[in-house]
Amino acid sequence: MIPKAMYRNLYILIAGGASLLAIFLLFFNGSARGRADFAWVNGTEPETLDPCYMTGQPEGDIATNIFEGLTTYHPETLEPTPGVASSWTQEGLIYTFQLRPDAWWVKGGQILTVDGKPRHVNAHDFVYAWMRQCVPESGSQYSFLLDYIVGVEEFKNETKANWNELIARRKSQNKTPPAKLADLDSDERKEVEAFRDRLWKEKVGVRPKGDLVLEVELRSFVPYFLQVTNFYPLFPVPREAVEAHDKEWILPRNIVTNGPYTLKDWRFNAYIRLQKNAHYWETEKHVAARLQDLAHKTDLPRRLALEKDLLTRLGSFEKHGLATLDALAIESDDTALNLYINGDVDRIRRIPPQVAGELLRAHREKPIPHIHAATSPSIYFYDVNLELPIFKDKVAGRQLRQALALAIDRPRLIREVSRAEQTPAYAMVPPSMRGYHAEPRFGTGTLKGDLQKANDLIQAFQSAGNAKPQLRILYNTLEAHKAIAAFIQDQWKTNIGIDAKLENQEWQVYLDSRRTGKFDLARAGWIPDYSDPNTYLELYTSDDLTSDKDPSRLSKPIVFNQQNHSHYNNTHYNRLVIEYAARVLDYLSDMNKRDAMLQDISSWPDFKEAIADRVRTNQKTSWNELHEAIPLYDQASGTEAKLEAAQRIRLFLLEIAEQMLMWDLPVIPIYHYTTSEVWPPELDGIGLNEREMHPAKFLRWKEGRRPAGTRYDAFPRFHSQTIDKP
Amino acid sequence: MLVMVLKRLGGVILTVWMVATLSFFLIRLAPGNPFANELHSLSPEEDAARRREYHLDESYSVQYGYWLWDLCRGDLGDSMKYRGKTVNALIAQTFPTSLALGSMAMLMALVVGMTTGVLAALRQNSPTDYALMAVAVFGISLPSFVFAMLGIVLFVFGARLFPLAGWESYRHVILPAMALSLPFAAKISRLTRVGMLEVLGEDFIRTAYAKGLAERHVVIKHALRGAMLPVISYLGPAFALILTGSLVIEKIFFLPGLGTIFVQAATNRDYNVVLGTVVVFSTLLCFFNFLVDLSYSLLDPRVKGSTGE
């Protein structure tokens, strides 16, 4: 017989194992939610679903589906299509939106009722949401988009002043300063609210006319305004929910939404499950009526023709829209691609950089129907710190910057280092802007053609008594940025004999260094907010609009655009972008102003070399084209034609501004990114667009349901020998 | 015994408090802030209002007071990056995942590690021993994501045995738990082998064999205990390591665990989340070490003696 004590060791082991198993069974929290009709990889975990606080694509892609603005957009062309507004008209600078009566606020799948009545989205909801963006306690990073509206800037400044006063008063009374309105006593609060309402009514050009009409008056000519109204910061929000639940109003149990989908479930760092909103206005009946309406009209404008085509092709959301969606919070591009190939997700945002080069090249030779690639509107560049003595010098600083910009072999950088078929950048504005003449704005587009000039510039720089500097390239710690910086370092050393040191910093430290000007050259990028050259050119402006000769100039400190980390300050450039282009209608309609504007542009010291003599690939100069376009404006008749002619002139003005910028080079463009999204060919109602966000309400599976199985065979296989080493 | 337990528990609390306090000040001294944004920034008034919302406009000592008071009430505060979410809610959603994954990985590591370790020790210097220990060296030196990738190629795209990623059914757990457990299994295997060999060389084992006891009895009753002691002392740190070190596995297999949050929060300067995860992890680490000490005193008579029993 074996004594019992013998087994004690075994017992302990078994008990240990059993308790581990018990812990596992007790805590396992798998979601077992099943496969949604459409699942996409949404990148990093959304920070919030409150349109007022969101800033990124992962948030925007959800918001676009659960909320709806005045307009929404065509999935392929980005043309505005009806949203909460069923129609709109434009008279000069005033837009009038007609809201639909059946756009409901929905909570937990049911129409929200207030005082027993169903609650539809009304014009006051937009006022509430937009005002919320402009007040200090909930101010948003995107509120600058509202500055196009009459009076918004004044409103912001006066509410800020009022807020600061309030804080000072409370401090003097030994009360804690407020972080939000709810922190105030009810009297104080009413006073603040009344002040703001009054101010808004007095100043701001956002005027509800009853519940269902919203009038918006712009301050200046903004051809892309209807692109802004479908952008998430301008979505309406439900006052009742926000006030009842404060920050927590966006949680699934509290949220009230008006989009085609509702928020069903939200699990941190995992997924967001969206469910079709049964009360969404785009019903079978609605679509039939709309199509009938459009069928009677002949000679439809482009926008309506597109809408008609879309509705005919896709049918109503009520009948054909997908029932469930999953947005997965996956950061790893490799996992994303694996999941796609395995058939677990239906859209990924980008191909992992390690295989992007090979896959995109294969795609270019023989199209892979899953890959959708194009030049992206986003750009990769280096900011140059103009506060540094070496760059500050008007002549020598520019010579050095031009030499640095010219001495980089961008095609080789893309071929050997970044390797994802990017487009070399010799300008800030990407080639895709409609109506804008994009082309290399410095150099010839090849290193061979530019090398001599770069060396001449360095020689001129040195012969003026300047020693070759030792520069530092700052980037945030990431292998890809490091490789690019190392390549450029090598290019500068071999091509023009300039030494550069690499300096990497952790993300937040890097942001801080850029903000406070602690860099020589800093890696940066820009993702445009809307499709117009202005979003790139605005970056390098400052509030300094006075003439160089004005004695009062520089009596107060210059406020630079938030993104103008280079501290570029060219008053001619500022006036071109902030004044002439933005208020082009004013300047065209008044002959004196018009002449003064042209006179002012040509008085820029480098005007001749950088603008008048710079012949473009079409053998013309932008200055000549501007002069040719102006009489066309005078001859145009009718509002539409006038606005169109003004827009042409506006784009030439912006082009001249870009030429100034690319002459002075406070920024060295490197490349335009490539968009490489992946979705299956069986999917309809989706297309490459510059916003890189795809409203799910248009999505349809061509066969009526998602094809089962994996997509393993759809992708070419690479073997180690086909991958070229840098 | 009770005195020792209380003393140790007091030590746990003291250590956690010190770690949390140090982290509190370090994370605030690091450049950057939770509201920093690359593309657009807030106006000074807006920025001030957000700081005030989280008491960030107060002095460090006042902030520390608020935070400690909340901590004592079991409230880890609000996330500053993920608006509308409390740190408690984030941890409640993600910690069970880490715990389930970790315990399964630990279980696998123990079973595989101890079995191979015992086998190798009993067949010392045989081909079995060499082969097992060679595999173990591989296991220790190769990072777990290599196993993860290999596992995906073999078992998902190859044999189609397991789902690729996600956290849905029990089947989703096996592959990530395996990948996570391998380095630990290897370590345990080596520890077991060494522990066993040491005991097998002792006089009392020879006596046991001389008494005519079967090998099975000798191993289970005497040798196994010797092998278990080093393994148990390794378990505490190992379990904590499995829980905190699952970041890469979480990323590859898309698991909503605490490891990812831990790293994200530091990058985001999400102060409250950083501190919340630090508190959880340091408590775990200390608590497991405490448990190990406790079980040690139960298993090893020499330790028992030293505590005055």
Side-chain angles (χ1 to χ4, degrees):
Chain A
M1 221 182 86
I2 303 163
K4 245 193 182 158
M6 261 204 79
Y7 286 113
R8 196 170 134 197
N9 295 328
L10 267 185
Y11 288 153
I12 292 176
L13 277 179
I14 291 168
S19 48
L20 281 173
L21 194 65
I23 295 179
F24 169 76
L25 291 172
L26 201 65
F27 287 96
F28 177 74
N29 57 353
S31 68
R33 68 191 185 282
R35 175 75 153 88
D37 289 342
F38 178 80
W40 82 90
V41 172
N42 198 35
T44 176
E45 167 73 16
E47 285 171 22
T48 175
L49 293 182
D50 187 335
C52 190
Y53 288 87
M54 54 176 67
T55 53
Q57 222 170 17
E59 295 83 14
D61 234 347
I62 309 279
T64 306
N65 293 315
I66 60 175
F67 294 101
E68 184 171 78
L70 287 168
T71 56
T72 118
Y73 54 92
H74 188 287
E76 289 135 30
T77 64
L78 291 183
E79 284 291 323
T81 63
V84 172
S86 54
S87 63
W88 55 89
T89 53
Q90 186 188 359
E91 281 290 328
L93 295 179
I94 299 182
Y95 286 84
T96 309
F97 296 91
Q98 177 70 49
L99 310 194
R100 58 183 83 246
D102 55 348
W104 305 109
W105 283 115
V106 171
K107 180 175 187 180
Q110 298 299 319
I111 295 178
L112 179 78
T113 51
V114 175
D115 303 329
K117 275 188 293 203
R119 171 89 158 76
H120 65 75
V121 184
N122 61 40
H124 307 283
D125 290 328
F126 286 93
V127 174
Y128 174 70
W130 296 0
M131 197 197 286
R132 203 166 158 247
Q133 298 256 350
C134 299
V135 295
E137 76 275 12
S138 56
S140 118
Q141 268 111 334
Y142 269 115
S143 67
F144 69 90
L145 288 171
L146 291 163
D147 293 352
Y148 303 130
I149 298 171
V150 162
V152 165
E153 264 184 302
E154 287 102 304
F155 177 85
K156 280 186 191 168
N157 291 336
E158 287 187 36
T159 39
K160 266 176 208 159
N162 175 264
W163 184 252
N164 288 338
E165 238 171 68
L166 182 85
I167 289 174
R169 198 171 67 212
R170 281 182 70 98
K171 272 189 181 154
S172 71
Q173 295 166 349
N174 268 334
K175 291 185 195 162
T176 51
K180 49 184 187 287
L181 283 186
D183 298 342
L184 300 173
D185 317 328
S186 75
D187 283 351
E188 259 178 336
R189 182 178 173 164
K190 271 189 201 127
E191 196 187 314
V192 172
E193 283 177 328
F195 169 79
R196 288 176 181 176
D197 284 340
R198 204 169 56 238
L199 191 64
W200 185 275
K201 275 203 191 98
E202 256 169 45
K203 302 258 158 132
V204 179
V206 178
R207 294 177 285 262
K209 307 265 163 176
D211 266 2
L212 292 178
V213 176
L214 185 68
E215 200 179 271
V216 180
E217 185 181 353
L218 302 188
R219 186 179 71 173
S220 56
F221 179 45
V222 186
Y224 47 90
F225 184 66
L226 289 178
Q227 280 189 42
V228 174
T229 52
N230 62 35
F231 195 31
Y232 54 79
L234 269 72
F235 287 169
V237 291
R239 182 178 204 138
E240 293 88 343
V242 177
E243 288 183 350
H245 303 287
D246 193 26
K247 302 194 258 222
E248 297 192 344
W249 80 273
I250 48 158
L251 300 182
R253 61 173 186 274
N254 301 331
I255 198 166
V256 175
T257 56
N258 73 325
Y261 287 90
T262 57
L263 179 68
K264 174 88 179 137
D265 197 5
W266 181 2
R267 184 146 162 197
F268 192 78
N269 264 350
Y271 63 90
I272 285 181
R273 168 61 65 95
L274 302 181
Q275 192 159 40
K276 194 171 179 174
N277 170 10
H279 305 284
Y280 187 64
W281 55 265
E282 200 192 285
T283 57
E284 188 74 358
K285 226 167 91 190
H286 170 92
V287 169
R290 179 81 179 153
L291 277 176
Q292 204 169 20
D293 203 29
L294 291 173
H296 290 309
K297 288 183 184 144
T298 49
D299 202 19
L300 287 174
R302 178 181 145 89
R303 181 176 73 70
L304 291 179
L306 280 168
E307 191 193 332
K308 184 178 162 186
D309 165 68
L310 201 64
L311 289 177
T312 322
R313 210 171 80 208
L314 303 178
S316 74
F317 175 72
E318 181 187 39
K319 190 163 172 202
H320 302 281
L322 305 180
T324 49
L325 312 174
D326 268 346
L328 307 180
I330 297 178
E331 281 183 8
S332 155
D333 290 334
D334 304 314
T335 304
L337 183 62
N338 276 344
L339 282 169
Y340 183 82
I341 291 176
N342 205 37
D344 296 327
V345 299
D346 306 307
R347 184 189 136 214
I348 60 177
R349 272 188 206 288
R350 63 180 161 268
I351 300 173
Q354 297 90 316
V355 293
E358 280 73 37
L359 263 183
L360 289 172
R361 227 164 292 149
H363 172 65
R364 197 180 49 199
E365 276 153 26
K366 181 169 169 287
I368 302 166
H370 294 258
I371 293 182
H372 308 270
T375 300
S376 151
S378 305
I379 182 168
Y380 190 100
F381 54 87
Y382 280 177
D383 267 333
V384 187
N385 189 350
L386 300 193
E387 300 283 0
L388 288 187
I390 190 96
F391 289 124
K392 200 163 186 148
D393 186 278
K394 270 251 181 300
V395 178
R398 190 181 58 232
Q399 285 167 337
L400 179 59
R401 293 195 299 276
Q402 285 180 336
L404 292 173
L406 290 172
I408 303 170
D409 189 347
R410 292 173 179 76
R412 198 176 135 207
L413 169 85
I414 290 162
R415 211 167 48 240
E416 295 178 2
V417 183
S418 60
R419 304 203 303 153
E421 303 270 294
Q422 291 96 341
T423 310
Y426 302 93
M428 276 305 272
V429 182
S432 55
M433 294 287 144
R434 194 133 58 95
Y436 188 77
H437 190 99
E439 64 165 34
R441 305 239 176 249
F442 59 89
T444 59
T446 60
L447 178 66
K448 228 172 150 190
D450 293 337
L451 196 53
Q452 189 53 48
K453 186 162 177 226
N455 277 303
D456 290 348
L457 283 163
I458 289 291
Q459 209 141 50
F461 172 80
Q462 281 179 305
S463 58
N466 298 297
K468 279 187 182 178
Q470 155 87 259
L471 299 169
R472 290 173 306 159
I473 303 177
L474 173 71
Y475 57 94
N476 56 302
T477 313
L478 199 78
E479 214 38 55
H481 298 322
K482 182 178 165 186
I484 290 171
F487 177 85
I488 289 176
Q489 174 191 41
D490 177 58
Q491 289 272 299
W492 286 345
K493 180 81 197 154
T494 31
N495 294 339
I496 49 175
I498 298 266
D499 282 319
K501 268 198 330 209
L502 305 192
E503 192 175 302
N504 74 87
Q505 290 177 348
E506 186 261 2
W507 177 243
Q508 291 261 355
V509 184
Y510 150 87
L511 286 183
D512 210 57
S513 299
R514 264 177 69 196
R515 216 171 16 234
T516 51
K518 282 186 225 129
F519 66 93
D520 295 357
L521 294 122
R523 166 266 139 187
W526 181 249
I527 305 162
D529 299 310
Y530 46 84
S531 185
D532 189 273
N534 190 59
T535 178
Y536 303 89
L537 300 178
E538 208 180 37
L539 303 180
Y540 291 92
T541 58
S542 75
D543 73 341
D544 181 14
L545 294 170
T546 48
S547 156
D548 296 337
K549 293 174 192 92
D550 188 338
S552 71
R553 182 171 175 258
L554 300 183
S555 58
K556 66 175 180 63
I558 300 166
V559 179
F560 291 97
N561 181 291
Q562 295 177 353
Q563 286 295 317
N564 188 353
H565 300 301
S566 301
H567 282 193
Y568 178 56
N569 187 35
N570 174 348
T571 60
H572 282 89
Y573 179 80
N574 293 340
R575 281 194 294 276
L576 258 173
V577 177
I578 299 174
E579 274 289 314
Y580 306 149
R583 297 173 198 268
V584 66
L585 290 177
D586 290 351
Y587 280 92
L588 286 174
S589 56
D590 182 332
M591 277 299 172
N592 291 332
K593 276 178 132 181
R594 188 194 290 186
D595 290 342
M597 169 180 86
L598 293 173
Q599 176 60 38
D600 180 38
I601 298 172
S602 60
S603 73
W604 181 51
D606 296 320
F607 173 76
K608 193 171 170 329
E609 227 179 324
I611 294 165
D613 291 350
R614 173 105 192 159
V615 181
R616 301 184 307 191
T617 41
N618 67 356
Q619 302 307 318
K620 290 181 174 175
T621 67
S622 43
W623 186 240
N624 281 342
E625 287 208 278
L626 174 69
H627 281 283
E628 285 167 23
I630 290 176
L632 295 178
Y633 170 81
D634 294 329
Q635 289 153 21
S637 59
T639 338
E640 288 263 315
K642 276 262 187 239
L643 285 179
E644 210 169 291
Q647 162 70 346
R648 261 176 69 82
I649 293 168
R650 180 178 163 273
L651 289 177
F652 283 127
L653 290 170
L654 289 176
E655 198 191 320
I656 291 172
E658 193 187 5
Q659 260 166 262
M660 276 185 189
L661 188 72
M662 289 293 101
W663 172 259
D664 277 338
L665 288 168
V667 44
I668 300 177
I670 312 278
Y671 60 68
H672 304 289
Y673 280 89
T674 301
T675 307
S676 58
E677 292 189 74
V678 183
W679 66 75
E682 294 88 0
L683 200 62
D684 204 1
I686 184 170
L688 265 191
N689 65 48
E690 285 193 353
R691 191 167 281 176
E692 292 170 24
M693 287 200 276
H694 309 282
K697 86 173 229 190
F698 298 113
L699 293 182
R700 310 283 187 265
W701 288 111
K702 282 177 187 161
E703 302 289 319
R705 53 200 217 89
R706 187 174 55 81
T710 67
R711 304 178 178 115
Y712 202 44
D713 298 325
F715 288 85
R717 251 151 263 188
F718 299 108
H719 303 287
S720 52
Q721 63 267 30
T722 66
I723 298 176
D724 44 41
K725 296 277 180 301
Chain B
M1 181 76 180
L2 189 68
V3 177
M4 186 206 90
V5 169
L6 286 179
K7 253 191 195 163
R8 288 288 168 130
L9 272 180
V12 167
I13 292 170
L14 194 73
T15 315
V16 171
W17 171 73
M18 275 164 58
V19 169
T21 303
L22 198 64
S23 315
F24 181 93
F25 291 102
L26 279 181
I27 188 75
R28 275 168 172 75
L29 287 173
N33 70 74
F35 314 117
N37 182 299
E38 187 194 5
L39 300 182
H40 303 290
S41 39
L42 294 165
S43 72
E45 286 80 5
E46 292 160 349
D47 194 57
R50 285 194 197 180
R51 284 171 180 278
R52 213 165 295 130
E53 217 176 336
Y54 299 98
H55 300 301
L56 293 181
D57 58 333
E58 312 270 7
S59 68
Y60 283 174
S61 50
V62 175
Q63 289 183 43
Y64 181 67
Y66 276 120
W67 182 77
L68 203 63
W69 172 239
D70 284 342
L71 180 68
C72 293
R73 294 181 303 146
D75 178 1
L76 294 168
D78 286 344
S79 163
M80 299 174 191
K81 193 78 179 176
Y82 301 101
R83 223 185 136 71
K85 307 219 160 166
T86 61
V87 180
N88 289 32
L90 292 188
I91 291 177
Q93 267 193 5
T94 52
F95 187 52
T97 307
S98 293
L99 209 54
L101 177 70
S103 53
M104 184 44 83
M106 200 70 241
L107 185 62
M108 287 179 173
L110 269 177
V111 171
V112 174
M114 292 208 66
T115 321
T116 52
V118 169
L119 265 178
L122 292 179
R123 308 272 175 277
Q124 195 192 1
N125 296 334
S126 73
T128 323
D129 182 23
Y130 292 142
L132 284 173
M133 284 308 112
V135 172
V137 168
F138 257 109
I140 292 172
S141 39
L142 274 186
S144 56
F145 68 85
V146 176
F147 291 121
M149 303 283 188
L150 208 66
I152 288 175
V153 171
L154 291 179
F155 299 118
V156 181
F157 285 121
R160 313 211 150 276
L161 278 175
F162 301 112
L164 179 62
W167 191 246
E168 289 164 43
S169 65
Y170 290 146
R171 280 180 65 219
H172 285 81
V173 185
I174 299 172
L175 211 48
M178 250 161 65
L180 189 58
S181 74
L182 277 169
F184 296 94
K187 182 93 201 232
I188 290 174
S189 175
R190 285 172 60 87
L191 284 174
T192 316
R193 178 176 172 274
V194 172
M196 276 283 272
L197 285 179
E198 202 179 306
V199 182
L200 285 176
E202 298 264 345
D203 290 344
F204 69 93
I205 297 288
R206 225 171 303 134
T207 317
Y209 274 120
K211 280 199 309 197
L213 282 178
E215 189 183 19
R216 186 165 62 108
H217 298 178
V218 178
V219 170
I220 294 177
K221 182 164 182 202
H222 300 290
L224 197 57
R225 170 179 289 200
M228 273 161 67
L229 287 175
V231 172
I232 285 174
S233 65
Y234 172 66
L235 279 187
F239 202 46
L241 235 116
I242 267 191
L243 286 173
T244 49
S246 56
L247 168 79
V248 179
I249 297 294
E250 280 178 23
K251 285 235 180 243
I252 293 177
F253 290 101
F254 176 41
L255 312 174
L258 195 56
T260 314
I261 297 188
F262 189 37
V263 176
Q264 268 173 355
T267 317
N268 290 339
R269 302 288 189 273
D270 195 341
Y271 301 150
N272 285 341
V273 179
V274 170
L275 295 174
T277 40
V278 163
V279 166
V280 170
F281 280 140
S282 54
T283 311
L284 271 178
L285 190 69
C286 295
F287 187 67
F288 282 126
N289 279 332
F290 162 72
L291 281 186
V292 165
D293 285 353
L294 208 64
S295 56
Y296 230 75
S297 65
L298 289 177
L299 275 176
D300 192 336
R302 283 167 298 177
V303 178
K304 226 185 260 177
S306 69
T307 56
E309 248 186 63

